[in-house]
Coordinates of all heavy atoms in Angstrom, one line a residue:
M170 N 0.8 -1.2 0.0 CA 0.0 0.0 0.0 C 0.9 1.2 0.0 O 1.8 1.3 0.8 CB -0.9 0.0 1.2 CG -1.8 1.2 1.3 SD -2.9 1.2 2.7 CE -4.0 -0.1 2.2
T171 N 0.6 2.2 -0.9 CA 1.4 3.4 -1.0 C 0.9 4.4 0.1 O -0.2 4.2 0.6 CB 1.3 4.0 -2.4 OG1 0.0 4.5 -2.6 CG2 1.7 3.0 -3.5
K172 N 1.7 5.4 0.3 CA 1.4 6.4 1.3 C 0.1 7.2 0.8 O -0.7 7.4 1.7 CB 2.6 7.4 1.4 CG 2.4 8.4 2.5 CD 3.6 9.2 2.7 CE 3.4 10.3 3.7 NZ 4.6 11.0 4.0
S173 N 0.0 7.4 -0.4 CA -1.2 8.2 -0.9 C -2.4 7.3 -0.7 O -3.5 7.8 -0.4 CB -1.0 8.6 -2.4 OG -0.9 7.5 -3.2
E174 N -2.3 6.0 -0.9 CA -3.5 5.1 -0.7 C -3.9 5.1 0.8 O -5.0 5.1 1.1 CB -3.2 3.7 -1.1 CG -3.1 3.6 -2.7 CD -2.6 2.2 -3.1 OE1 -1.9 1.5 -2.3 OE2 -3.0 1.8 -4.2
L175 N -2.9 5.1 1.7 CA -3.1 5.1 3.1 C -3.8 6.4 3.5 O -4.8 6.4 4.3 CB -1.8 4.9 3.9 CG -1.9 4.9 5.4 CD1 -2.8 3.8 5.9 CD2 -0.5 4.8 6.0
I176 N -3.3 7.5 3.0 CA -3.9 8.8 3.3 C -5.4 8.9 2.8 O -6.3 9.4 3.5 CB -3.1 10.0 2.7 CG1 -1.7 10.1 3.4 CG2 -3.8 11.3 2.8 CD1 -0.7 11.0 2.8
S177 N -5.6 8.3 1.6 CA -7.0 8.2 1.1 C -7.9 7.4 2.0 O -9.0 7.8 2.3 CB -6.9 7.6 -0.3 OG -8.2 7.5 -0.8
L178 N -7.4 6.3 2.5 CA -8.2 5.5 3.4 C -8.5 6.3 4.7 O -9.6 6.2 5.3 CB -7.4 4.2 3.8 CG -7.4 3.2 2.7 CD1 -6.5 2.0 3.0 CD2 -8.8 2.7 2.4
L179 N -7.5 7.0 5.2 CA -7.7 7.8 6.4 C -8.8 8.9 6.2 O -9.6 9.1 7.1 CB -6.4 8.5 6.9 CG -5.4 7.5 7.5 CD1 -4.1 8.2 7.7 CD2 -5.9 6.9 8.8
H180 N -8.8 9.5 5.0 CA -9.8 10.5 4.7 C -11.2 9.8 4.7 O -12.2 10.4 5.1 CB -9.5 11.1 3.3 CG -8.5 12.2 3.4 ND1 -8.7 13.4 4.0 CD2 -7.2 12.2 2.9 CE1 -7.6 14.1 3.9 NE2 -6.7 13.4 3.2
D181 N -11.2 8.6 4.1 CA -12.5 7.9 4.1 C -13.0 7.5 5.4 O -14.2 7.4 5.7 CB -12.4 6.6 3.2 CG -12.1 6.9 1.7 OD1 -12.4 8.1 1.3 OD2 -11.7 6.1 1.0
A182 N -12.1 7.2 6.4 CA -12.4 6.7 7.7 C -12.9 7.8 8.6 O -13.7 7.6 9.5 CB -11.2 6.0 8.4
E183 N -12.5 9.1 8.3 CA -12.8 10.2 9.2 C -14.3 10.4 9.4 O -14.8 10.5 10.5 CB -12.1 11.5 8.7 CG -12.2 12.5 9.8 CD -11.3 13.7 9.5 OE1 -11.0 13.9 8.3 OE2 -10.9 14.4 10.4
P184 N -15.1 10.4 8.3 CA -16.6 10.6 8.5 C -17.2 9.4 9.3 O -18.1 9.6 10.1 CB -17.2 10.6 7.1 CG -16.0 10.9 6.2 CD -14.8 10.4 6.9
I185 N -16.7 8.2 9.2 CA -17.2 7.1 9.9 C -16.9 7.3 11.4 O -17.8 7.0 12.2 CB -16.6 5.8 9.4 CG1 -17.0 5.5 7.9 CG2 -17.0 4.6 10.2 CD1 -16.2 4.5 7.2
L186 N -15.7 7.8 11.7 CA -15.4 8.1 13.1 C -16.3 9.2 13.7 O -16.6 9.1 14.9 CB -13.9 8.4 13.2 CG -13.0 7.2 13.0 CD1 -11.5 7.7 12.9 CD2 -13.1 6.2 14.1
W187 N -16.6 10.2 12.9 CA -17.5 11.2 13.3 C -18.8 10.6 13.8 O -19.4 11.0 14.8 CB -17.7 12.3 12.3 CG -16.7 13.4 12.2 CD1 -15.8 13.6 11.3 CD2 -16.5 14.4 13.2 NE1 -15.0 14.7 11.6 CE2 -15.5 15.2 12.8 CE3 -17.2 14.7 14.4 CZ2 -15.0 16.3 13.5 CZ3 -16.7 15.8 15.1 CH2 -15.7 16.6 14.6
E188 N -19.3 9.7 12.9 CA -20.6 9.0 13.2 C -20.5 8.2 14.5 O -21.4 8.3 15.4 CB -21.0 8.1 12.1 CG -22.3 7.5 12.2 CD -22.7 6.7 11.0 OE1 -22.4 7.1 9.9 OE2 -23.4 5.7 11.2
A189 N -19.4 7.5 14.7 CA -19.1 6.8 15.9 C -19.1 7.7 17.2 O -19.6 7.3 18.2 CB -17.9 5.9 15.8
L190 N -18.5 8.8 17.0 CA -18.4 9.8 18.1 C -19.8 10.2 18.5 O -20.1 10.3 19.7 CB -17.6 11.0 17.7 CG -16.1 10.9 17.8 CD1 -15.5 12.1 17.1 CD2 -15.7 10.9 19.2
E191 N -20.7 10.5 17.5 CA -22.0 10.9 17.8 C -22.8 9.9 18.6 O -23.7 10.2 19.4 CB -22.8 11.3 16.5 CG -22.2 12.6 15.9 CD -22.9 12.9 14.6 OE1 -23.8 12.1 14.1 OE2 -22.6 13.9 14.0
K192 N -22.5 8.6 18.2 CA -23.3 7.5 18.9 C -22.7 7.2 20.2 O -23.2 6.3 20.9 CB -23.2 6.3 18.0 CG -24.1 6.5 16.7 CD -24.0 5.3 15.9 CE -24.9 5.5 14.6 NZ -24.8 4.3 13.7
G193 N -21.5 7.8 20.6 CA -20.9 7.6 21.9 C -20.2 6.2 22.0 O -20.1 5.7 23.1
I194 N -19.7 5.7 20.9 CA -19.0 4.4 20.9 C -17.7 4.6 21.6 O -16.9 5.5 21.3 CB -18.9 3.9 19.4 CG1 -20.2 3.6 18.8 CG2 -18.0 2.7 19.4 CD1 -20.2 3.2 17.4
S195 N -17.4 3.7 22.4 CA -16.1 3.7 23.2 C -14.9 3.7 22.3 O -14.8 2.8 21.4 CB -16.1 2.5 24.2 OG -14.9 2.5 24.9
G196 N -14.0 4.5 22.6 CA -12.7 4.6 21.8 C -12.8 5.4 20.5 O -11.7 5.5 19.9
A197 N -13.9 5.8 20.1 CA -14.1 6.6 18.9 C -13.3 7.9 18.9 O -12.7 8.3 17.9 CB -15.5 6.8 18.5
E198 N -13.4 8.6 20.0 CA -12.7 9.9 20.1 C -11.2 9.7 20.0 O -10.6 10.5 19.2 CB -13.0 10.6 21.4 CG -12.4 12.0 21.5 CD -12.9 12.7 22.8 OE1 -13.7 12.2 23.5 OE2 -12.4 13.8 23.0
E199 N -10.6 8.7 20.6 CA -9.2 8.5 20.6 C -8.8 8.1 19.1 O -7.8 8.6 18.6 CB -8.8 7.4 21.5 CG -7.3 7.2 21.5 CD -6.9 6.1 22.5 OE1 -7.7 5.7 23.4 OE2 -5.8 5.5 22.4
A200 N -9.6 7.3 18.5 CA -9.3 6.8 17.1 C -9.4 8.0 16.2 O -8.5 8.2 15.3 CB -10.3 5.8 16.7
H201 N -10.4 8.9 16.4 CA -10.5 10.1 15.5 C -9.4 11.0 15.7 O -8.8 11.5 14.7 CB -11.9 10.8 15.8 CG -12.0 12.0 14.9 ND1 -11.7 13.2 15.3 CD2 -12.5 12.1 13.6 CE1 -11.9 14.1 14.3 NE2 -12.4 13.4 13.3
Q202 N -8.9 11.2 16.9 CA -7.8 12.1 17.1 C -6.5 11.5 16.5 O -5.7 12.3 15.9 CB -7.5 12.3 18.6 CG -8.6 13.1 19.3 CD -8.4 13.2 20.8 OE1 -7.6 12.5 21.4 NE2 -9.3 14.0 21.5
K203 N -6.3 10.2 16.5 CA -5.2 9.6 15.9 C -5.2 9.8 14.3 O -4.2 10.1 13.7 CB -5.1 8.1 16.2 CG -4.6 7.9 17.7 CD -4.6 6.4 18.0 CE -4.1 6.2 19.4 NZ -4.1 4.7 19.7
V204 N -6.4 9.6 13.8 CA -6.6 9.7 12.3 C -6.3 11.2 11.9 O -5.6 11.4 11.0 CB -8.0 9.2 11.9 CG1 -8.3 9.7 10.4 CG2 -8.1 7.7 12.0
A205 N -6.9 12.1 12.7 CA -6.7 13.5 12.3 C -5.3 13.9 12.5 O -4.7 14.6 11.6 CB -7.6 14.4 13.3
R206 N -4.6 13.4 13.5 CA -3.2 13.7 13.7 C -2.3 13.2 12.5 O -1.5 13.8 12.0 CB -2.7 13.2 15.0 CG -1.3 13.6 15.4 CD -0.8 13.1 16.8 NE -1.9 13.3 17.8 CZ -2.4 12.3 18.5 NH1 -2.0 11.0 18.3 NH2 -3.3 12.5 19.4
A207 N -2.7 11.9 12.1 CA -1.9 11.3 11.0 C -2.1 12.1 9.7 O -1.1 12.2 9.0 CB -2.4 9.8 10.9
L208 N -3.3 12.6 9.5 CA -3.6 13.3 8.3 C -2.8 14.7 8.3 O -2.2 15.1 7.3 CB -5.1 13.6 8.1 CG -5.9 12.4 7.7 CD1 -7.4 12.7 7.8 CD2 -5.5 11.9 6.3
R209 N -2.7 15.3 9.5 CA -2.0 16.6 9.6 C -0.5 16.3 9.4 O 0.2 17.1 8.7 CB -2.2 17.2 11.0 CG -3.6 17.9 11.1 CD -3.7 18.8 12.3 NE -3.4 18.1 13.5 CZ -4.4 17.5 14.3 NH1 -5.6 17.5 13.8 NH2 -4.1 16.8 15.4
V210 N 0.0 15.3 10.0 CA 1.4 14.9 9.8 C 1.8 14.6 8.4 O 2.8 15.1 7.9 CB 1.8 13.8 10.8 CG1 3.2 13.2 10.4 CG2 1.8 14.2 12.2
A211 N 0.9 13.9 7.8 CA 1.1 13.5 6.3 C 1.1 14.7 5.5 O 2.0 14.9 4.5 CB 0.0 12.5 5.9
A212 N 0.3 15.7 5.7 CA 0.2 16.9 5.0 C 1.4 17.8 5.2 O 2.0 18.4 4.3 CB -1.0 17.7 5.3
A213 N 1.9 17.8 6.4 CA 3.1 18.6 6.8 C 4.4 18.0 6.4 O 5.4 18.7 6.2 CB 3.1 18.9 8.3
E214 N 4.5 16.7 6.1 CA 5.7 16.0 5.8 C 6.2 16.4 4.4 O 7.4 16.5 4.2 CB 5.5 14.5 5.8 CG 5.6 13.9 7.2 CD 5.4 12.4 7.2 OE1 5.1 11.8 6.1 OE2 5.6 11.8 8.2
T215 N 5.4 16.7 3.5 CA 5.8 17.1 2.2 C 6.0 18.6 2.2 O 5.4 19.3 3.0 CB 4.8 16.7 1.1 OG1 3.6 17.4 1.4 CG2 4.6 15.2 1.0
A216 N 6.8 19.1 1.3 CA 7.1 20.5 1.3 C 5.8 21.3 0.9 O 5.6 22.4 1.5 CB 8.1 20.8 0.2
D217 N 5.0 20.8 0.0 CA 3.8 21.5 -0.4 C 2.5 20.9 0.2 O 1.7 21.6 0.7 CB 3.7 21.5 -1.9 CG 4.8 22.4 -2.5 OD1 5.2 23.3 -1.8 OD2 5.2 22.1 -3.6
G218 N 2.3 19.6 0.2 CA 1.1 19.0 0.7 C 0.0 19.1 -0.4 O 0.2 19.5 -1.5
A219 N -1.2 18.6 0.1 CA -2.3 18.6 -0.8 C -3.6 19.1 0.0 O -3.6 18.8 1.2 CB -2.6 17.2 -1.4
C220 N -4.5 19.7 -0.7 CA -5.7 20.1 -0.1 C -6.5 18.9 0.4 O -6.7 17.9 -0.3 CB -6.5 20.9 -1.1 SG -8.2 21.4 -0.5
V221 N -7.0 19.0 1.6 CA -7.7 17.9 2.2 C -9.0 17.6 1.5 O -9.5 16.5 1.3 CB -8.0 18.2 3.7 CG1 -8.9 17.1 4.3 CG2 -6.7 18.2 4.5
S222 N -9.6 18.7 0.9 CA -10.9 18.6 0.3 C -10.8 18.1 -1.2 O -11.5 17.2 -1.5 CB -11.6 19.9 0.4 OG -12.9 19.9 -0.2
C223 N -10.0 18.8 -2.0 CA -10.0 18.5 -3.4 C -8.7 17.8 -3.9 O -8.7 17.2 -5.0 CB -10.1 19.8 -4.2 SG -8.7 20.9 -4.1
G224 N -7.7 17.8 -3.0 CA -6.4 17.1 -3.4 C -5.5 17.9 -4.2 O -4.4 17.4 -4.6
D225 N -5.8 19.2 -4.6 CA -4.9 20.0 -5.3 C -3.7 20.3 -4.5 O -3.7 20.3 -3.2 CB -5.6 21.3 -5.7 CG -6.5 21.2 -6.8 OD1 -6.5 20.1 -7.5 OD2 -7.3 22.1 -7.1
A226 N -2.6 20.6 -5.2 CA -1.3 20.9 -4.5 C -1.4 22.2 -3.7 O -2.1 23.2 -4.1 CB -0.2 21.0 -5.5
L227 N -0.7 22.3 -2.6 CA -0.7 23.5 -1.7 C 0.8 23.9 -1.6 O 1.7 23.1 -1.6 CB -1.2 23.1 -0.3 CG -2.6 22.8 -0.1 CD1 -2.9 22.4 1.3 CD2 -3.5 24.0 -0.5
T228 N 0.9 25.2 -1.5 CA 2.2 25.8 -1.1 C 2.1 26.1 0.4 O 1.3 26.9 0.8 CB 2.5 27.0 -2.0 OG1 2.5 26.7 -3.3 CG2 3.9 27.6 -1.6
Q229 N 3.0 25.5 1.2 CA 2.9 25.7 2.6 C 3.7 27.0 3.0 O 4.7 27.3 2.4 CB 3.5 24.5 3.3 CG 2.8 23.2 3.1 CD 1.4 23.3 3.8 OE1 1.1 24.1 4.6 NE2 0.5 22.3 3.3
P230 N 3.2 27.7 4.0 CA 4.0 28.9 4.5 C 5.2 28.4 5.2 O 5.4 27.3 5.6 CB 3.0 29.5 5.5 CG 2.1 28.4 5.9 CD 2.0 27.5 4.7
S231 N 6.2 29.3 5.2 CA 7.5 29.0 5.8 C 7.4 28.9 7.3 O 8.2 28.3 8.0 CB 8.6 30.0 5.4 OG 8.2 31.3 5.8
T232 N 6.4 29.7 7.9 CA 6.2 29.6 9.4 C 4.7 29.4 9.6 O 3.9 29.7 8.7 CB 6.7 30.9 10.0 OG1 5.9 32.0 9.5 CG2 8.1 31.2 9.8
G233 N 4.4 29.0 10.8 CA 3.0 28.9 11.2 C 2.4 27.5 10.9 O 3.1 26.6 10.5
R234 N 1.1 27.4 11.1 CA 0.4 26.2 10.9 C 0.4 25.8 9.4 O 0.1 26.6 8.6 CB -1.0 26.3 11.5 CG -1.8 25.1 11.4 CD -3.2 25.3 11.9 NE -3.1 25.3 13.4 CZ -4.2 25.5 14.1 NH1 -5.3 25.7 13.6 NH2 -4.0 25.5 15.4
P235 N 0.6 24.5 9.1 CA 0.4 24.1 7.7 C -1.0 24.2 7.2 O -1.9 24.0 7.9 CB 0.8 22.6 7.8 CG 1.4 22.3 9.1 CD 1.0 23.4 10.0
R236 N -1.1 24.6 6.0 CA -2.4 24.8 5.3 C -3.0 23.4 5.1 O -2.3 22.5 4.7 CB -2.3 25.5 4.0 CG -1.9 26.9 4.2 CD -2.0 27.7 2.9 NE -1.7 29.1 3.1 CZ -0.7 29.7 2.5 NH1 0.1 29.1 1.7 NH2 -0.5 31.0 2.8
M237 N -4.3 23.3 5.2 CA -5.0 22.1 5.0 C -5.9 22.2 3.7 O -6.3 21.2 3.1 CB -5.9 21.7 6.2 CG -5.0 21.3 7.4 SD -6.0 20.7 8.8 CE -6.6 19.2 8.1
Y238 N -6.3 23.4 3.4 CA -7.2 23.7 2.3 C -6.6 24.7 1.3 O -5.9 25.6 1.8 CB -8.6 24.2 2.8 CG -9.2 23.3 3.8 CD1 -9.1 23.6 5.2 CD2 -9.9 22.1 3.4 CE1 -9.7 22.8 6.1 CE2 -10.5 21.3 4.4 CZ -10.4 21.6 5.7 OH -10.9 20.8 6.7
C239 N -6.9 24.5 0.0 CA -6.4 25.5 -0.9 C -7.1 26.8 -0.9 O -6.5 27.8 -1.4 CB -6.4 24.8 -2.3 SG -8.0 24.4 -2.9
G240 N -8.3 26.9 -0.4 CA -9.0 28.1 -0.3 C -10.3 28.0 0.5 O -10.6 26.9 1.1
E241 N -11.0 29.1 0.6 CA -12.2 29.1 1.4 C -13.3 28.2 0.9 O -14.0 27.6 1.6 CB -12.8 30.6 1.5 CG -12.0 31.5 2.4 CD -12.1 31.0 3.9 OE1 -13.2 30.6 4.3 OE2 -11.0 30.9 4.5
A242 N -13.4 28.0 -0.4 CA -14.4 27.2 -1.0 C -14.2 25.7 -0.6 O -15.1 25.0 -0.2 CB -14.3 27.2 -2.6
C243 N -12.9 25.3 -0.6 CA -12.7 23.9 -0.1 C -12.9 23.7 1.4 O -13.4 22.7 1.8 CB -11.3 23.5 -0.5 SG -11.1 23.0 -2.2
K244 N -12.5 24.8 2.1 CA -12.7 24.7 3.6 C -14.2 24.6 3.9 O -14.6 23.8 4.7 CB -12.2 26.0 4.2 CG -12.2 26.0 5.7 CD -11.8 27.3 6.3 CE -10.4 27.4 6.6 NZ -9.9 28.6 7.3
K245 N -15.0 25.4 3.2 CA -16.5 25.4 3.4 C -17.1 24.0 2.9 O -18.0 23.5 3.6 CB -17.2 26.5 2.7 CG -16.9 27.8 3.3 CD -17.5 29.0 2.6 CE -17.2 30.3 3.3 NZ -17.8 31.4 2.6
R246 N -16.6 23.5 1.8 CA -17.1 22.2 1.3 C -16.8 21.1 2.3 O -17.7 20.3 2.6 CB -16.4 21.9 0.0 CG -16.9 20.7 -0.7 CD -16.3 20.4 -2.0 NE -16.2 21.5 -2.9 CZ -15.1 22.1 -3.4 NH1 -13.9 21.5 -3.1 NH2 -15.1 23.1 -4.1
A247 N -15.6 21.1 2.9 CA -15.3 20.1 3.9 C -16.1 20.3 5.2 O -16.6 19.3 5.7 CB -13.8 20.2 4.3
Y248 N -16.4 21.5 5.6 CA -17.2 21.8 6.7 C -18.6 21.2 6.5 O -19.2 20.6 7.4 CB -17.2 23.3 7.1 CG -18.3 23.6 8.1 CD1 -18.0 23.4 9.5 CD2 -19.5 24.2 7.8 CE1 -18.9 23.7 10.4 CE2 -20.4 24.5 8.7 CZ -20.1 24.2 10.1 OH -21.1 24.5 11.0
R249 N -19.2 21.6 5.3 CA -20.5 21.1 5.0 C -20.6 19.6 5.0 O -21.6 19.0 5.4 CB -21.0 21.7 3.7 CG -21.4 23.1 3.7 CD -22.0 23.6 2.4 NE -21.6 25.0 2.2 CZ -20.8 25.4 1.2 NH1 -20.3 24.6 0.4 NH2 -20.5 26.7 1.1
A250 N -19.6 18.9 4.4 CA -19.6 17.5 4.4 C -19.5 16.9 5.8 O -20.3 15.9 6.1 CB -18.4 17.0 3.6
K251 N -18.7 17.4 6.7 CA -18.7 17.0 8.0 C -20.0 17.2 8.7 O -20.5 16.3 9.5 CB -17.6 17.6 8.8 CG -16.2 17.2 8.5 CD -15.1 17.9 9.3 CE -13.7 17.5 8.9 NZ -12.7 18.2 9.6
R252 N -20.6 18.3 8.5 CA -21.9 18.6 9.1 C -23.0 17.7 8.6 O -23.8 17.2 9.4 CB -22.3 20.1 8.9 CG -23.5 20.5 9.7 CD -23.8 22.0 9.5 NE -24.1 22.2 8.1 CZ -24.2 23.4 7.5 NH1 -24.0 24.5 8.2 NH2 -24.4 23.6 6.2
A253 N -23.0 17.4 7.3 CA -23.9 16.5 6.8 C -23.8 15.1 7.3 O -24.7 14.4 7.6 CB -23.8 16.5 5.2
Q254 N -22.5 14.7 7.5 CA -22.3 13.4 8.1 C -22.8 13.3 9.6 O -23.4 12.3 10.0 CB -20.8 13.1 8.2 CG -20.2 12.7 6.9 CD -20.7 11.3 6.4 OE1 -20.9 10.4 7.2 NE2 -20.8 11.2 5.1
R255 N -22.7 14.4 10.3 CA -23.2 14.4 11.7 C -24.7 14.4 11.7 O -25.3 13.8 12.6 CB -22.7 15.7 12.4 CG -21.2 15.6 12.7 CD -20.8 16.8 13.5 NE -19.5 17.2 13.2 CZ -19.0 18.4 13.1 NH1 -19.8 19.4 13.3 NH2 -17.8 18.6 12.7
E256 N -25.4 15.0 10.7 CA -26.8 15.1 10.7 C -27.5 13.8 10.3 O -28.6 13.5 10.7 CB -27.3 16.2 9.8 CG -26.9 17.6 10.3 CD -27.3 18.7 9.4 OE1 -27.7 18.4 8.2 OE2 -27.1 19.8 9.7
D257 N -26.7 12.9 9.6 CA -27.3 11.7 9.1 C -27.5 10.6 10.2 O -27.1 10.6 11.2 CB -26.4 11.0 8.0 CG -26.6 11.8 6.7 OD1 -27.5 12.6 6.6 OD2 -25.7 11.7 5.9

């Protein structure tokens, strides 16, 4: 399994973990934190990284927190997707 395939699987698992959190399943919060941390580390390991929402390449700032989204549209799209997962 390549690193990009693993990252893709982690992205797919995140909404499932959100659902488990809402249902109060034991261990879901810790698992979600681990997945989120792994995704942040994976994005920060490369010089540029990729947008969490659309996968487009990102240029990371030299200082500060690594970017996760290429712009406001992708950030809002990800927020709406997470909110929709919680409502289901």
Side-chain angles (χ1 to χ4, degrees):
M170 179 178 290
T171 66
K172 186 175 180 177
S173 62
E174 289 172 332
L175 180 59
I176 292 170
S177 177
L178 286 173
L179 289 171
H180 281 293
D181 293 343
E183 194 170 23
I185 296 166
L186 288 170
W187 273 110
E188 187 175 322
L190 278 169
E191 289 176 359
K192 292 180 179 179
I194 296 174
S195 174
E198 184 175 355
E199 183 181 341
H201 182 266
Q202 288 174 356
K203 287 180 180 179
V204 166
R206 188 177 316 119
L208 289 171
R209 284 193 301 271
V210 167
E214 280 180 352
T215 61
D217 292 330
C220 176
V221 173
S222 182
C223 69
D225 284 350
L227 292 176
T228 303
Q229 297 293 344
S231 58
T232 60
R234 180 181 286 181
R236 290 189 177 120
M237 294 184 67
Y238 305 100
C239 60
E241 285 297 314
C243 280
K244 185 188 265 187
K245 288 178 182 180
R246 187 177 310 122
Y248 171 77
R249 284 189 214 111
K251 285 181 184 178
R252 189 175 61 192
Q254 285 291 328
R255 288 185 212 144
E256 291 174 356
D257 289 340

